[in-house]
Amino acid sequence: MEKDGLVWDDRLKIGVEVVDKAHAKLFKIMEKLLELSADENSSQHTYKEAFKYLEAYSMTHFAEEEAYMRSIKYDGYAQHKRIHDTFRDMTLVSLRNDLERSGYSSLAVQRFVGILKRWLIEHIMQDDQAIVGKRVSRGGNGPTSQNAIIARVVDRAVWNAFQVEARLSSADYKGQNIGKGFYYRRCYVVEGKIRVQVLLGLEELLVLRGADHMLELKMIRRNEMKDEIVRQVFGLLFKDLSKLFGASAQEEAGQESRMTRDEFRADFMKGYTCRMLFRTKAGYLIFCYRSWRIKDQEAGGAAKRSTG
């Protein structure tokens, strides 16, 4: 992979010194990772330490940037912080899992740097520039790097459950009706510190296909759709989708529930960071999630519920 695009330049400055210095340093860290990937003597331990440093520095930068936004009373602070939280809780976790599964291969490291570079440039040009009253269009309606990661995992989970491909129809699902369907909510605790709540909605024909595929049934009439069949279909999906949140993600005991359409809509209106609609040849799928830090007094109880 070439270093093209990893050179810091004035186009990426937003005019806030603490933010610009941090962005420049992140580019230097990525450049160093590319240099390591080209060195045959680089060890897995070296990569792990470099990734840990990058992760720690990114979190320090986010904290500094958020402090600056609060200091100027930036009215887009809440949404901007959600973007940071999603990157921390989801994107970095998924990228780390890919690196670990590959044994920190040179190719995986290069792929990681490429995704991170695209995410950082998009974030600077769109979200960070907005802090100082500027905004540069990403251009087109294509998915961001983060959405591409989520879409890939959802597509894999849908294929395993239904043997059909899932195409991202909208990365900004607004609650529109998908017809007769089934809805579930599930909660996870990640590393004992973060609670993740996932909403899934499946069009009925897609659930029927999943039942056919999973239970090897030749035909299931609509009036024969049993709660247990629906639960198993959703369970198979949730098992694969939980990989988005890392190996440490544990289902929170007692925190799974089937929902009516009205209950789903009411919960959806509480605000989800990720709201995506997928299209398959057998019907639509809704995937939404939100996450938040568990307060210290809640952490003990959450850990106990997760372990039963």
Side-chain angles (χ1 to χ4, degrees):
M1 184 185 209
E2 298 295 328
K3 293 181 183 178
D4 180 45
L6 279 180
V7 178
W8 177 256
D9 64 54
D10 289 345
R11 282 186 317 113
L12 297 170
K13 288 184 176 181
I14 73 168
V16 178
E17 185 176 10
V18 66
V19 174
D20 289 336
K21 282 185 175 180
H23 289 160
K25 187 165 183 177
L26 284 169
F27 271 71
K28 285 187 178 296
I29 296 171
M30 289 190 289
E31 184 176 349
K32 182 62 177 177
L33 277 168
L34 280 187
E35 290 174 359
L36 288 173
S37 72
D39 184 352
E40 295 180 356
N41 296 318
S42 295
S43 67
Q44 187 174 122
H45 174 74
T46 302
Y47 285 136
K48 284 183 177 180
E49 291 303 307
F51 182 87
K52 283 166 61 177
Y53 178 70
L54 172 64
E55 191 172 31
Y57 188 78
S58 298
M59 297 309 103
T60 298
H61 162 55
F62 284 171
E64 290 175 343
E65 189 172 272
E66 289 163 13
Y68 174 77
M69 287 189 285
R70 290 194 299 271
S71 75
I72 64 171
K73 295 181 172 54
Y74 175 50
D75 60 8
Y77 170 79
Q79 174 61 23
H80 199 121
K81 187 178 185 306
R82 280 196 293 271
I83 292 169
H84 286 173
D85 291 346
T86 300
F87 179 80
R88 178 198 66 213
D89 301 340
M90 194 167 190
T91 306
L92 269 183
V93 169
S94 180
L95 291 172
R96 185 200 305 145
N97 289 343
D98 284 348
L99 286 173
E100 290 174 352
R101 281 193 292 268
S102 75
Y104 289 83
S105 69
S106 295
L107 188 61
V109 171
Q110 292 169 11
R111 176 181 170 278
F112 161 76
V113 172
I115 291 174
L116 182 59
K117 178 197 74 173
R118 289 193 296 273
W119 185 91
L120 185 58
I121 290 174
E122 288 171 356
H123 183 57
I124 292 171
M125 300 300 280
Q126 183 77 6
D127 306 304
D128 290 342
Q129 292 285 2
I131 297 172
V132 293
K134 296 183 288 186
R135 185 182 292 265
V136 179
S137 174
R138 288 187 176 103
N141 296 312
T144 65
S145 300
Q146 182 170 284
N147 287 343
I149 293 170
I150 299 171
R152 187 176 70 247
V153 175
V154 172
D155 182 47
R156 187 182 307 148
V158 167
W159 180 263
N160 289 341
F162 309 114
Q163 295 292 288
V164 292
E165 293 182 344
R167 300 297 184 193
L168 181 60
S169 180
S170 172
D172 187 25
Y173 171 70
K174 298 184 184 299
Q176 55 266 45
N177 198 342
I178 59 171
K180 188 171 183 180
F182 296 90
Y183 305 91
Y184 258 87
R185 177 179 61 206
R186 180 173 289 188
C187 295
Y188 299 94
V189 173
V190 181
E191 297 178 351
K193 298 180 294 186
I194 300 165
R195 181 169 286 125
V196 179
Q197 186 163 289
V198 179
L199 287 182
L200 276 185
L202 299 178
E203 195 170 348
E204 186 182 63
L205 288 176
L206 193 56
V207 177
L208 286 166
R209 184 181 179 94
D212 278 337
H213 174 63
M214 184 173 64
L215 304 177
E216 297 182 349
L217 299 176
K218 299 302 180 185
M219 182 179 293
I220 303 176
R221 294 195 179 96
R222 293 187 180 186
N223 61 3
E224 294 174 346
M225 180 65 75
K226 303 295 184 182
D227 289 345
E228 179 60 20
I229 294 174
V230 175
R231 190 188 67 80
Q232 287 187 46
V233 171
F234 273 89
L236 186 61
L237 270 178
F238 276 123
K239 181 180 178 181
D240 281 344
L241 292 174
S242 67
K243 296 172 185 176
L244 276 167
F245 310 109
S248 62
Q250 296 182 332
E251 180 187 348
E252 193 171 4
Q255 293 298 310
E256 176 183 274
S257 57
R258 181 159 164 195
M259 313 172 79
T260 65
R261 166 66 189 170
D262 288 342
E263 289 169 339
F264 172 88
R265 186 170 181 79
D267 197 278
F268 173 81
M269 295 301 290
K270 294 177 181 177
Y272 278 74
T273 310
C274 174
R275 309 179 305 274
M276 303 175 83
L277 179 67
F278 292 85
R279 182 180 69 255
T280 79
K281 67 179 183 182
Y284 284 97
L285 177 147
I286 303 164
F287 173 76
C288 307
Y289 95 93
R290 61 191 179 105
S291 64
W292 62 94
R293 289 271 177 177
I294 299 175
K295 296 179 181 178
D296 292 341
Q297 59 266 36
E298 298 179 56
K304 183 178 293 185
R305 289 193 298 272
S306 297
T307 56

